[in-house]
Amino acid sequence: FDCFCGQYSMALLPCPHSELVKHKDQTRKLQQEAHIPHRYETLTFPDLKKIELSPQNRAVAIELLQLSKRPKSSEGMYLYGMPGVGKTLLISILGNTLLKAGKRVLFCNTAELLNQLRQRIKSDWNEELARYQNVPCLILDDVGVARMTEWGLEQMFRLLDARYEEGRQTFFTSNYSLKQLQEKLLGSDQFEDAQILRLISRMAGMSRQLELTGEDKRWKPALTLLTNKPVERKKKDQEPQVGTLFMG
């Protein structure tokens, strides 16, 4: 209650608990829409303390951590390196952190994205493409792994060109650096050089390259990042064999 010149008044404020519940509900909805891989969807940057990272990979993790503190930023990242060095893990953690800050994130495997568009080519594929063009933060995983067709190359350019023009944040993971990816595509007789060069140019213009090094962690014993986190079990015959995590 406040008193001013003999007049009493009462201010009504939002209930802190209600605001907390609202924030949790919003985060849960964003998590469902993000489609971040299940094994990574609960992980945050503090979980990386349980992993032995090389100095270079730790420096990359710190770069991503600093970026996560600026959820309104449109800066993109292109993570590349050999399979199994942690590209998908790190970019998923970044995505988790951004969506907890209220930013809409969409994670997709590049091959799966093109497959979805191809399946809808006779119906609403333009609307589906627009969904990826317009999301505030898009994560494209495993760029360059799937066999690319001329149609797929054109869709990738349409997607990235629209995001580039609107300044929307885009993250990539790949086994290839941008230069290696360009050389790989130029080595194919399916595409015109101009098509490839304009695609790589868009990717370079909307992201900063960061290299991850090391050996494939998938060949090593599983990392126990999830041991302290409960695993939801719906049916007894669907229990996971191990409550552990492999780096992607």
Side-chain angles (χ1 to χ4, degrees):
F1 286 91
D2 291 326
C3 178
F4 180 73
C5 295
Q7 298 292 325
Y8 290 91
S9 63
M10 180 178 68
L12 298 178
L13 302 175
C15 172
H17 176 70
S18 178
E19 290 296 307
L20 180 61
V21 171
K22 182 179 178 181
H23 177 72
K24 286 184 176 180
D25 288 343
Q26 181 186 22
T27 300
R28 190 179 300 111
K29 181 180 179 181
L30 290 174
Q31 287 175 328
Q32 292 173 348
E33 295 174 348
H35 300 299
I36 290 175
H38 178 67
R39 66 176 60 190
Y40 304 133
E41 64 184 2
T42 62
L43 299 182
T44 59
F45 282 103
D47 289 309
L48 293 177
K49 295 178 181 178
K50 304 175 185 178
I51 302 177
E52 183 179 350
L53 298 175
S54 68
Q56 180 167 337
N57 292 358
R58 185 167 296 278
V60 172
I62 292 174
E63 290 266 9
L64 299 183
L65 173 61
Q66 295 302 321
L67 180 58
S68 72
K69 297 177 180 179
R70 297 181 281 114
K72 294 184 179 181
S73 173
S74 61
E75 181 181 4
M77 294 289 184
Y78 183 98
L79 303 188
Y80 71 95
M82 297 296 292
V85 295
K87 302 183 296 293
T88 304
L89 168 67
L90 289 180
I91 211 67
S92 295
I93 289 177
L94 175 59
N96 289 336
T97 307
L98 290 175
L99 66 84
K100 287 180 180 178
K103 191 168 192 174
R104 286 183 59 222
V105 176
L106 182 57
F107 180 106
C108 63
N109 179 277
T110 305
E112 182 60 28
L113 164 63
L114 294 175
N115 186 49
Q116 289 180 15
L117 294 177
R118 192 175 294 109
Q119 289 179 351
R120 301 190 181 195
I121 196 168
K122 294 183 179 180
S123 56
D124 60 345
W125 67 278
N126 276 311
E127 289 79 2
E128 181 69 5
L129 180 62
R131 185 165 72 94
Y132 292 94
Q133 290 173 330
N134 297 328
V135 68
C137 177
L138 178 66
I139 299 174
L140 289 173
D141 194 38
D142 278 341
V143 176
V145 173
R147 178 178 172 273
M148 187 71 73
T149 64
E150 184 175 359
W151 181 86
L153 190 71
E154 184 61 30
Q155 303 318 304
M156 283 294 295
F157 179 78
R158 288 184 60 194
L159 168 63
L160 298 181
D161 185 57
R163 297 189 62 81
Y164 176 80
E165 293 298 332
E166 296 298 326
R168 296 193 172 100
Q169 193 170 47
T170 309
F171 300 122
F172 308 88
T173 74
S174 178
N175 296 338
Y176 309 95
S177 68
L178 283 175
K179 183 178 180 181
Q180 291 169 338
L181 181 61
Q182 177 174 296
E183 292 173 351
K184 178 186 177 184
L185 294 174
L186 286 173
S188 172
D189 296 331
Q190 301 181 60
F191 319 115
E192 295 180 3
D193 290 355
Q195 288 180 297
I196 298 168
L197 294 175
R198 65 177 185 166
L199 175 66
I200 298 299
S201 175
R202 284 293 183 272
M203 297 173 71
M206 63 198 306
S207 63
R208 184 155 55 95
Q209 288 193 79
L210 296 173
E211 182 181 10
L212 293 173
T213 60
E215 56 186 357
D216 192 338
K217 301 296 190 300
R218 296 189 183 97
W219 290 97
K220 290 192 171 185
L223 301 172
T224 56
L225 283 183
L226 299 182
T227 52
N228 296 327
K229 299 191 176 185
V231 178
E232 182 180 354
R233 299 180 179 180
K234 297 182 179 179
K235 296 181 181 179
K236 292 184 178 180
D237 58 352
Q238 294 181 348
E239 293 182 357
Q241 295 180 354
V242 290
T244 52
L245 172 72
F246 287 91
M247 293 180 71

